[in-house]
Amino acid sequence: MTMQEQNVHDQAEQNQAVREQGPLDNHLVASSLTFGNGKAELDPQTGSIVGFFNTDSPKREYLIDADIPWHSPDFYWGTGMVVTSQGSGSWITPSVGEVRNNVQKLHFDMAHVGLELDVTRSGGTHMQERYVWRNVSGSALTISQLSLEAPFNNYYPSAQKALDECVNAHVFAGGSWAWCYAEPMDGSMPSLGLIVRKGALHSYSLQTQNESVFSNVRGHIVLNVTDNAISPDSFGGQPRLELLPGESYELVNVVGWYDSRDEFERDVHAPAHFSTLSSPLGKSIDVDTSLSITADNSHLSVVHNEHGYSLTADEPGTYYIHLTDGDYSACTEVLFYSPLSQTIAKRAHYILDHQVASYRPGSLAAAIVSVDTRTKLQVIDPFWNDWTDGSERICMPVLLQKALNHGFLEDGDKLRAQQECDDWRTFAEKNLLDLTGASRRGSSQPASSFGKRLYDMPWIAQFYCEHFRASGDAHDLDMASMILNRLTELGGQHFLSIEFAETCECAASLLRAYGRDAEAENILDHVLSSANFFLNLGRNLPPHEVAYEQSVVAPLMSLLIGAYRITGEKQYLNGIESRLPWLLSFSGFQPDCRLHGVAIRHWDGHWFGIYRSFGDTFPHYWSALTAEVLLRLPKEIADDHTSKLAAEILRANMANYSADGGATCAYIFPSSVDGRAMNRADPLANDQDEHLNIWMRMIEEENLDIR
C-alpha cells in the first residue's frame, strides 16, 4: 500500500469512527428535514446536513458522499469557521440541538472568539436556513473571516458516474446578491438552488483542492460572508464586520428544487440586468436597475439614464461595479476589451518579441515557449510537461500564421512573423515529430514518448493547414495528412482529441481543393469512425487526462457535428441534441464577466502557471470550445440563445490578455484556495492563445460576425 493509499484508508476509518459515536442527545434523532419533493439528510452526531436528495432523481447526490475518504465532518454543510478580534475557531458540533416538526435548531457556544451562533432550519416548499452570530464578549468585536461549508458534489469520478450522480455547482457571491446553483452534470433536472435572502456572501473559496486528489475533484466549496483575513482585496473588497456588545449578524438562505435555470432566476429576483457583461472598447454595457451604481476605477464611466446606467471604458480590462440601495450592497465585474484584430496584433508582437527562444542553438531557436510576464524571462522545463517547448505551446505558431492569413498583423511584424512560422515548421519536424508523423511533448522528451500524447497531433496538423494557406507548398498538405492518419493508427479514433474533427474538416477541404479527393475522404472517414465509436458508448466515456471534463464533451460534440455534416444522418443529430445539455451544464450563468457562459475548470493553474495553484480558473480558454460547438450546431438545434452564449464566452476570454500583448494562462478566481489568497492572474503567458485561434476559425468557417 502506497503512502497516499494508506492516508486515504486511515481517513476513511477516522470518518467512520466519528459517525459511529452516536447522536449528541436524544433530541437530534430525526434523520432529515423535508422540503419540496426532497429532503435534507442530517448527521445524527452534529446535526449538519450530509446530503440533499430528490425523489425524482434518487441516484443524484447533490453533496459529497459522507463515505468518500477525502470528505469528513469538518466539511459538512453548514459547518464553518470564524476569525474575530478575540480569536479564531470552527463550529461543527452544537452544544444544544433539536429537530421537531420539520424544524431544526442548533446552538453553538464560541465564547473563546466572543460569539454564540444559533442555526435554524425549517422545511416546507423550500428549506430556509437562518444563521445568527451574536457578540457575547461584552466589548466591540471585529469579524474578519466568516465562512460556511457548502460541499456540492462537483466531483468527476468517471463520465458515467458523474453524469448519473454528480453536479456542476455555479456560485455567484456578489454580496447581497448571491446564490448557488447545483445542476446535474447531464443537464437533467431537478437542480438544487440556494438564494441569499438576508445578509451577504462576498466571495467563495475552495478547500482540499490539492494534489492528493489531482484534477478529478473541485474541492470543498466554502461560502464567505467575508474572506478579509486571507484575501482582503478579492471580489472588489472583503468587508470587516463590526459588532457592538449584544449585536448580531444574520444570514438567511433559502434552498429549493428547480426544474430550469429560468425558474431559478425568476426566484432570485435579480436587482440588475446587463445588456452584456463583456464589450469591446468604444461600445457600452447597459444596466437595467433601480439600484445606484458606482465604480472605483476612473477609467470606467458610469452614466445614469432612464432605465439605469450606461457603462463605458477608455482602457481595456475588468472593472468592479458596486450596486447599492441602503443596506443592500452588491458587486460584480464587467469587461471592456480591445478590438479582436488589435488584440491579435499586439499578442503576436509580444510573442515575437518575448516568446521565441532565439537564444537556443540550431533549429531549437524557432521554438515558442512560455514567458514570465513580470520579468519577460522565458520559462522552459523539459520535465514539467506543461512547460516544454511543445504541446499547448503549439497554439502560438498557429496564432501567428492564422493572424498573418487574416491580415491582422502590423506591417512591421509581417515578415518576421512569416519567417518565424517557416522556421517553426523546421523546428517541429526536427524536434517534435518522428518520421511517421507521431509527436512528442517537447524537444527534450525521450524518443520513446513519440505518439504517447494524442492531444498534440491535431494542433500540429492545424499549423500545417494554416502554413499551406500561406505557402502553397504541397509539403504542408502532405504533413497534415500524414499526422492525422498517424493519429488514427495510434488509436485516435478512440480518443477525444481536442480540435480533431475541426482539423480533419479543414485538411479535407484543402485536399479536395487541390484534387486530392481520395485523401480527403480517408480523413473524413476517421471522423465518422470516431463518431460512431463514441456514439455507441453512450454515457460510458473513457477517461482521458482526467476522468471527465468539459474538454471531453466538447470534442465529442464536434465529432458528432462533423459526422452529421458529412452524412446528414439523423442518428448524429439525435446524438448532438441529447448530449448538448452535458456540455452546457459546465457553463455558468452568473452575472459576472469572468463566469457567464464559462465552463468550470479547476486544475489548469496548477499544471500551467508559475504559482502552480489549483482552483477554479475563470475564464479558461478551453471554454471557447463550448462557443465553437454552439456556433457549429446544426440549424435544427441552434437558436438565438446558443449564438448569444457563444459570443459571451468568446468575449469573456479577452480578460486573459493585457494591453501590451501579454497574457495569463490562469486566473484563479476564488478569493482563496486552501488558505492562500487568490482571485489573481498567474504571471505566466503559456497556453491561452487557442481561444484566439478558435475565434478566427469561426470567422472564416462560420461567417461569424462577433468582434
Side-chain angles (χ1 to χ4, degrees):
M1 183 181 293
T2 67
M3 180 69 72
Q4 182 173 330
E5 290 171 336
Q6 183 65 53
N7 289 341
V8 168
H9 178 267
D10 292 346
Q11 184 63 59
E13 287 192 340
Q14 291 173 22
N15 294 352
Q16 183 61 31
V18 169
R19 289 193 291 273
E20 289 175 353
Q21 287 176 10
L24 175 72
D25 61 36
N26 59 8
H27 295 297
L28 283 177
V29 293
S31 61
S32 64
L33 298 173
T34 60
F35 65 101
N37 198 28
K39 65 178 181 178
E41 185 174 298
L42 305 175
D43 176 50
Q45 173 68 16
T46 65
S48 302
I49 296 174
V50 292
F52 289 109
F53 299 95
N54 189 284
T55 56
D56 290 338
S57 185
K59 289 179 63 177
R60 186 76 54 189
E61 296 192 45
Y62 294 82
L63 299 185
I64 298 169
D65 191 325
D67 291 327
I68 289 179
W70 46 265
H71 187 45
S72 70
D74 307 270
F75 305 102
Y76 286 173
W77 179 283
T79 61
M81 62 212 79
V82 64
V83 176
T84 76
S85 49
Q86 292 198 3
S88 60
S90 300
W91 64 89
I92 299 177
T93 305
S95 55
V96 178
E98 66 175 13
V99 182
R100 301 179 190 276
N101 301 319
N102 210 27
V103 176
Q104 180 191 51
K105 294 183 178 181
L106 306 174
H107 179 81
F108 298 85
D109 290 318
M110 297 186 290
H112 66 292
V113 299
L115 293 171
E116 64 180 13
L117 167 63
D118 287 300
V119 179
T120 304
R121 298 187 178 103
S122 55
T125 304
H126 295 77
M127 183 187 76
Q128 183 185 86
E129 292 189 299
R130 183 172 179 262
Y131 298 83
V132 180
W133 294 269
R134 185 172 294 103
N135 179 358
V136 294
S137 68
S139 60
L141 196 66
T142 299
I143 299 176
S144 57
Q145 185 79 32
L146 188 56
S147 305
L148 291 167
E149 298 288 343
F152 293 111
N153 193 25
N154 211 151
Y155 174 37
Y156 309 97
S158 68
Q160 177 87 53
K161 194 173 180 66
L163 289 165
D164 289 348
E165 300 179 16
C166 301
V167 296
N168 284 311
H170 304 294
V171 181
F172 179 60
S176 301
W177 185 10
W179 50 262
C180 307
Y181 189 76
E183 183 173 78
M185 287 193 185
D186 62 357
S188 65
M189 293 296 149
S191 294
L192 183 75
L194 176 151
I195 303 169
V196 172
R197 294 300 191 201
K198 186 174 183 180
L201 298 174
H202 289 98
S203 65
Y204 79 94
S205 303
L206 292 175
Q207 290 179 320
T208 64
Q209 176 54 303
N210 53 62
E211 198 165 343
S212 66
V213 291
F214 289 103
S215 300
N216 294 319
V217 177
R218 189 178 176 189
H220 289 92
I221 294 174
V222 184
L223 305 179
N224 299 315
V225 173
T226 181
D227 200 14
N228 180 278
I230 297 174
S231 189
D233 298 324
S234 64
F235 284 54
Q238 297 293 293
R240 295 168 70 88
L241 308 179
E242 306 290 344
L243 297 182
L244 295 174
E247 281 191 331
S248 60
Y249 182 86
E250 183 177 0
L251 177 69
V252 178
N253 303 323
V254 173
V255 180
W257 306 106
Y258 294 91
D259 289 331
S260 70
R261 293 184 174 190
D262 286 344
E263 180 189 2
F264 175 72
E265 288 192 290
R266 286 193 297 271
D267 215 7
V268 169
H269 306 305
H273 299 277
F274 294 80
S275 60
T276 182
L277 291 155
S278 305
S279 174
L281 290 171
K283 294 188 176 181
S284 67
I285 295 175
D286 297 320
V287 189
D288 185 353
T289 183
S290 60
L291 302 181
S292 296
I293 293 183
T294 58
D296 300 329
N297 195 311
S298 62
H299 293 289
L300 184 70
S301 173
V302 180
V303 177
H304 191 265
N305 58 41
E306 60 180 322
H307 297 294
Y309 292 84
S310 179
L311 313 178
T312 56
D314 58 21
E315 285 192 359
T318 59
Y319 296 89
Y320 285 106
I321 61 169
H322 302 275
L323 305 93
T324 58
D325 181 11
D327 292 336
Y328 191 97
S329 177
C331 181
T332 192
E333 286 179 283
V334 294
L335 166 68
F336 286 91
Y337 59 87
S338 297
L340 176 64
S341 59
Q342 184 178 331
T343 298
I344 291 171
K346 287 187 175 182
R347 183 74 192 111
H349 184 84
Y350 190 98
I351 290 170
L352 291 168
D353 277 0
H354 302 297
Q355 298 192 245
V356 177
S358 55
Y359 59 89
R360 300 170 88 196
S363 63
L364 294 176
I368 306 180
V369 299
S370 305
V371 66
D372 184 338
T373 56
R374 299 168 299 183
T375 62
K376 308 302 189 292
L377 289 172
Q378 293 178 0
V379 176
I380 303 174
D381 185 340
F383 293 104
W384 187 260
N385 286 330
D386 295 310
W387 286 5
T388 65
D389 55 10
S391 284
E392 278 78 359
R393 270 60 58 198
I394 297 164
C395 65
M396 287 182 279
V398 173
L399 173 66
L400 291 180
Q401 191 65 71
K402 266 189 171 295
L404 279 163
N405 295 348
H406 277 259
F408 285 155
L409 297 195
E410 299 293 336
D411 289 343
D413 287 332
K414 290 179 180 177
L415 287 177
R416 66 172 181 152
Q418 190 58 67
Q419 185 62 58
E420 169 56 27
C421 290
D422 296 344
D423 293 344
W424 192 88
R425 183 177 74 165
T426 301
F427 159 75
E429 291 178 19
K430 288 189 175 182
N431 300 285
L432 299 183
L433 296 167
D434 66 14
L435 294 178
T436 72
S439 67
R440 61 179 173 179
R441 298 199 68 170
S443 61
S444 298
Q445 300 275 304
S448 60
S449 69
F450 280 111
K452 299 299 185 184
R453 191 186 195 241
L454 303 184
Y455 280 119
D456 301 358
M457 295 173 69
W459 305 337
I460 300 181
Q462 266 185 33
F463 170 80
Y464 277 105
C465 288
E466 291 303 321
H467 197 267
F468 174 76
R469 285 171 166 158
S471 70
D473 186 349
H475 173 74
D476 290 329
L477 276 186
D478 294 340
M479 291 299 294
S481 181
M482 179 175 70
I483 291 167
L484 293 172
N485 286 322
R486 181 61 174 144
L487 173 61
T488 298
E489 293 171 358
L490 292 169
Q493 289 163 304
H494 301 160
F495 185 85
L496 290 167
S497 295
I498 296 169
E499 300 297 311
F500 171 68
E502 292 85 350
T503 305
C504 284
E505 288 181 49
C506 179
S509 176
L510 293 173
L511 288 165
R512 277 182 177 150
Y514 287 85
R516 299 168 66 167
D517 291 351
E519 290 177 78
E521 291 301 319
N522 184 54
I523 286 175
L524 293 180
D525 283 344
H526 299 334
V527 174
L528 289 177
S529 176
S530 187
N532 291 335
F533 173 77
F534 284 104
L535 192 63
N536 290 332
L537 288 181
R539 298 158 82 96
N540 191 26
L541 301 175
H544 287 62
E545 286 188 341
V546 298
Y548 181 67
E549 59 175 321
Q550 171 254 0
S551 54
V552 163
V553 181
L556 168 64
M557 294 289 290
S558 291
L559 274 176
L560 298 177
I561 290 169
Y564 184 62
R565 289 183 170 191
I566 295 166
T567 68
E569 292 180 8
K570 193 169 183 180
Q571 62 170 330
Y572 302 118
L573 183 65
N574 293 340
I576 296 164
E577 191 167 25
S578 64
R579 288 159 178 76
L580 181 59
W582 304 1
L583 182 63
L584 294 181
S585 176
F586 286 101
S587 294
F589 55 106
Q590 301 94 316
D592 185 299
C593 65
R594 292 186 174 278
L595 304 177
H596 193 80
V598 173
I600 295 168
R601 294 179 70 92
H602 50 82
W603 57 90
D604 296 281
H606 173 77
W607 301 109
F608 291 94
I610 282 178
Y611 296 143
R612 296 194 181 183
S613 303
F614 281 109
D616 294 348
T617 308
F618 292 138
H620 188 271
Y621 72 94
W622 279 142
S623 63
L625 291 173
T626 297
E628 185 172 40
V629 167
L630 296 177
L631 292 168
R632 284 166 45 86
L633 284 174
K635 65 181 185 302
E636 297 92 333
I637 299 174
D639 56 28
D640 286 345
H641 170 71
T642 57
S643 297
K644 289 177 181 177
L645 183 58
E648 287 287 329
I649 297 168
L650 291 175
R651 290 169 176 152
N653 277 273
M654 295 298 262
N656 288 333
Y657 310 103
S658 53
D660 66 349
T664 176
C665 64
Y667 189 96
I668 309 300
F669 186 81
S671 59
S672 57
V673 178
D674 287 330
R676 293 173 295 157
M678 294 294 165
N679 201 232
R680 64 183 181 181
D682 194 280
L684 200 67
N686 187 340
D687 63 323
Q688 64 290 314
D689 300 304
E690 190 64 30
H691 155 248
L692 296 174
N693 295 335
I694 289 171
W695 199 335
M696 284 189 282
R697 183 162 61 249
M698 291 298 93
I699 290 172
E700 67 198 34
E701 294 182 7
E702 308 301 326
N703 298 313
L704 179 66
D705 187 23
I706 300 173
R707 301 299 172 100

